[in-house]
Amino acid sequence: MRSSSIIIELSDSDSDASPPTSSQVATSVIDLLDSDDEPPRPSRSCSSLSQYHLRELTDSDDDELPPTFTLSASQSHKAKSKRKRDSDSEYESSESEVLRESPPKIQRKAPTKGPGKTAEEKARDKEAKSSEKELQKQEKAAQKAADKRHEDARKAAAKDYRKRHKEENKLVSDKKTTLKDMEIVFPVIFAEPGKRPLYDAFRDRVAEYHMTVSLAQAREVRGLDVFSWTRTKRSEYNIATREWDPVDEYVAKEATAAVYLEAARLVALLDEEKGSDVASQLHKAFLHDHLQIFFIVNGMGAFIREQGMRAVDVRDQVERAVASLQMAEGIHFLYTESIPDAVERLYDLSADLGIKPYKIIERSHLPFCSDTEQRSGTSLADTWLKMLTQVHRLTPSMAEGIVENFPTPRSLMEAFEQTQTQAEIDGMIAGLRVERNVDGTMRKRGNGIDKGISSKVGTTLWGRDPLALVAKGTHK
């Protein structure tokens, strides 16, 4: 059986060829157009055909092929691929034409260089750059030096602060050393000739301690002669840390006022019940809620003696009125009979105010045993003296009296060993001679150690009970 074949005729003509009829040879001619749209493929008379017979192929350039040209199936596929590539090429060509039609990019012309610099100009530029580098180097060195000075200053300030903090929190037990920071202001009345001796005597008394003594220019409280105190402060108490923080030095007024009164004036105030009015005036003048008020009364003993037969009644009446005022207003009374007495009262009051901040330090750290840094003496005898002064209320003068009779600790221990009763232990040093007071003045009366101090010494040095109470209210 003869297999059929299909003859494909390619033509550039735009006219469509008529489809073959069934009466014609068992071949069909298909006209391939140049258009991108493929016409539908005609039905094949035999699906098993392996080849197509091409009778005539023509292209757009009118190149003729041999009249008979046979394409295999793979060649047909390649022809289709070629047509597709041609189509893609035409699309890319049209796209490139569009891109070519877009406005060209503007290319800036590089600036033209002027004539070259002369040797002199180059030298000047080099010198300017050198000067600029030198200036930058100097600025960098100056900044480095400034940073170093700042760091050194910071370290020095920190070191100074630590030193001051340690100094301000150092325990001070000697009242006299605190007077250099204190100033007492006498009432203006003591500028008068009749009162001036007390001012001069007190100034001489504290001269060796470098305390400042001055006279007021006017009365601080109307109608009252008031002593006042100021302190040079270098620290503030920190409640949270219970320490004193160093601050810049400043002067602050103490919350203490002392009213100077003659005995007759005090009695008149008590009779008129105006003591509370005086306290109210002082509170308003000092603007302090916890103001400590003292009445320094001069000549009360002489005033009582002048009452003659009524002396006892007047004394009792004054004492009751004073006690009532003390309870109502918390006023403290100090009595003087002479200028030396008044000087000592003012000195004690000033020293107590001076040591007051250090009492806070003492209570903040070890209230039961505050004085923990005790230095040894210059000799064995001096060390023995310092050991004895650690007993509560035993003054250096009392210690000297004990050392005079018991020059060594062993001698005193042997004396305690010879005792038979507790009364002998408690009275071991009672009556030993004491020549001076705490402030260094000579004692006029009571020149012996009393039994209370003697009992404390016996309990401290010879007592066997570890729970025995040596000092009641030591820090009050």
Side-chain angles (χ1 to χ4, degrees):
M1 181 177 179
R2 186 178 179 178
S3 61
S4 299
S5 63
I6 298 174
I7 305 301
I8 300 172
E9 182 178 358
L10 301 176
S11 177
D12 290 338
S13 175
D14 293 335
S15 60
D16 295 334
S18 58
T21 62
S22 60
S23 62
Q24 295 175 350
V25 186
T27 59
S28 298
V29 178
I30 299 174
D31 189 11
L32 299 178
L33 303 179
D34 289 338
S35 174
D36 291 338
D37 298 331
E38 287 189 35
R41 182 175 300 177
S43 60
R44 299 176 184 177
S45 59
C46 182
S47 59
S48 63
L49 292 178
S50 60
Q51 294 182 349
Y52 295 100
H53 297 283
L54 180 65
R55 186 181 63 179
E56 184 178 0
L57 287 173
T58 58
D59 55 9
S60 60
D61 294 336
D62 297 333
D63 293 335
E64 294 183 356
L65 293 176
T68 304
F69 187 81
T70 304
L71 287 177
S72 64
S74 61
Q75 289 173 336
S76 176
H77 178 72
K78 290 180 181 179
K80 292 180 182 179
S81 300
K82 180 178 182 302
R83 289 198 302 273
K84 184 176 181 182
R85 286 196 300 271
D86 292 342
S87 176
D88 294 340
S89 176
E90 289 177 1
Y91 174 77
E92 291 175 358
S93 176
S94 63
E95 184 179 4
S96 63
E97 289 177 0
V98 172
L99 292 176
R100 281 196 299 270
E101 291 176 359
S102 63
K105 295 182 179 179
I106 300 175
Q107 296 183 354
R108 299 186 182 275
K109 186 177 181 180
T112 57
K113 295 183 179 180
K117 295 184 179 180
T118 62
E120 184 178 355
E121 290 176 340
K122 291 181 178 180
R124 284 199 302 267
D125 291 345
K126 185 177 181 181
E127 184 179 356
K129 290 182 180 180
S130 178
S131 300
E132 184 179 357
K133 288 183 179 179
E134 183 65 24
L135 181 61
Q136 291 177 353
K137 184 178 180 181
Q138 291 177 359
E139 290 178 351
K140 187 176 181 180
Q143 182 64 35
K144 186 176 181 180
D147 293 342
K148 187 177 185 303
R149 288 194 300 270
H150 178 74
E151 182 64 18
D152 292 343
R154 186 190 65 80
K155 290 181 179 179
K159 182 178 180 181
D160 181 66
Y161 181 87
R162 290 193 297 269
K163 182 179 179 182
R164 290 176 57 197
H165 184 273
K166 184 177 180 180
E167 186 67 23
E168 293 299 327
N169 286 278
K170 185 178 180 181
L171 184 63
V172 177
S173 57
D174 189 358
K175 296 180 179 180
K176 298 187 290 292
T177 60
T178 65
L179 293 177
K180 65 180 183 298
D181 295 328
M182 300 297 296
E183 178 186 5
I184 183 172
V185 181
F186 273 68
V188 67
I189 190 177
F190 287 94
E192 300 176 1
K195 301 290 186 181
R196 183 78 183 197
L198 176 59
Y199 172 79
D200 294 335
F202 183 83
R203 188 174 57 182
D204 295 339
R205 175 74 174 82
V206 298
E208 62 178 312
Y209 309 126
H210 307 289
M211 183 180 181
T212 304
V213 183
S214 59
L215 274 168
Q217 300 298 319
R219 278 182 169 173
E220 193 165 4
V221 182
R222 185 177 179 181
L224 298 176
D225 299 315
V226 181
F227 291 89
S228 61
W229 286 263
T230 61
R231 180 197 304 274
T232 301
K233 302 187 72 173
R234 302 177 186 86
S235 60
E236 292 288 347
Y237 188 69
N238 190 326
I239 299 177
T241 60
R242 303 181 72 182
E243 292 180 335
W244 290 84
D245 295 333
V247 296
D248 293 336
E249 184 177 297
Y250 69 98
V251 177
K253 197 168 188 177
E254 290 292 301
T256 302
V259 181
Y260 180 81
L261 296 170
E262 295 291 342
R265 174 81 185 279
L266 174 64
V267 173
L269 285 175
L270 295 176
D271 289 342
E272 297 172 4
E273 297 182 353
K274 292 185 177 180
S276 297
D277 295 339
V278 173
S280 179
Q281 285 181 275
L282 292 171
H283 281 291
K284 290 180 180 179
F286 281 77
L287 299 175
H288 203 288
D289 295 335
H290 302 286
L291 182 66
Q292 192 176 28
I293 301 175
F294 290 85
F295 279 1
I296 300 178
V297 184
N298 183 45
M300 179 58 74
F303 178 82
I304 296 296
R305 289 192 297 270
E306 290 175 359
Q307 304 304 313
M309 300 295 295
R310 299 180 56 250
V312 176
D313 293 337
V314 171
R315 183 189 63 192
D316 293 342
Q317 183 180 359
V318 170
E319 288 179 353
R320 286 194 297 270
V322 166
S324 177
L325 186 59
Q326 284 178 322
M327 294 178 65
E329 302 294 340
I331 299 175
H332 306 278
F333 285 81
L334 300 176
Y335 298 95
T336 65
E337 297 296 332
S338 62
I339 289 178
D341 284 347
V343 168
E344 291 305 317
R345 296 293 183 273
L346 290 173
Y347 170 82
D348 291 340
L349 188 53
S350 300
D352 289 340
L353 289 175
I355 199 69
K356 189 175 181 179
Y358 301 98
K359 290 293 183 181
I360 297 178
I361 298 175
E362 179 180 322
R363 296 171 186 175
S364 298
H365 294 82
L366 296 173
F368 59 92
C369 181
S370 59
D371 201 359
T372 57
E373 296 183 4
Q374 291 297 322
R375 298 179 180 177
S376 60
T378 56
S379 62
L380 294 177
D382 188 36
T383 301
W384 174 223
L385 276 172
K386 285 180 167 55
M387 289 172 60
L388 289 171
T389 55
Q390 297 308 297
V391 179
H392 178 53
R393 293 184 60 193
L394 188 68
T395 64
S397 182
M398 293 179 183
E400 291 174 1
I402 297 173
V403 171
E404 186 177 349
N405 291 271
F406 303 97
T408 63
R410 182 172 182 173
S411 61
L412 182 57
M413 294 297 105
E414 289 176 348
F416 278 123
E417 192 174 7
Q418 299 297 324
T419 58
Q420 300 295 327
T421 63
Q422 184 63 40
E424 292 179 356
I425 296 174
D426 292 340
M428 175 61 65
I429 62 171
L432 295 182
R433 182 179 178 82
V434 180
E435 296 183 352
R436 294 186 305 278
N437 295 312
V438 177
D439 57 9
T441 59
M442 299 300 294
R443 277 199 175 189
K444 297 180 180 179
R445 55 184 179 180
N447 293 333
I449 297 177
D450 59 33
K451 291 183 179 180
I453 299 296
S454 178
S455 176
K456 291 178 184 297
V457 174
T459 304
T460 303
L461 299 181
W462 196 252
R464 296 294 185 266
D465 183 5
L467 300 179
L469 182 62
V470 178
K472 182 180 180 179
T474 301
H475 301 286
K476 293 183 179 180

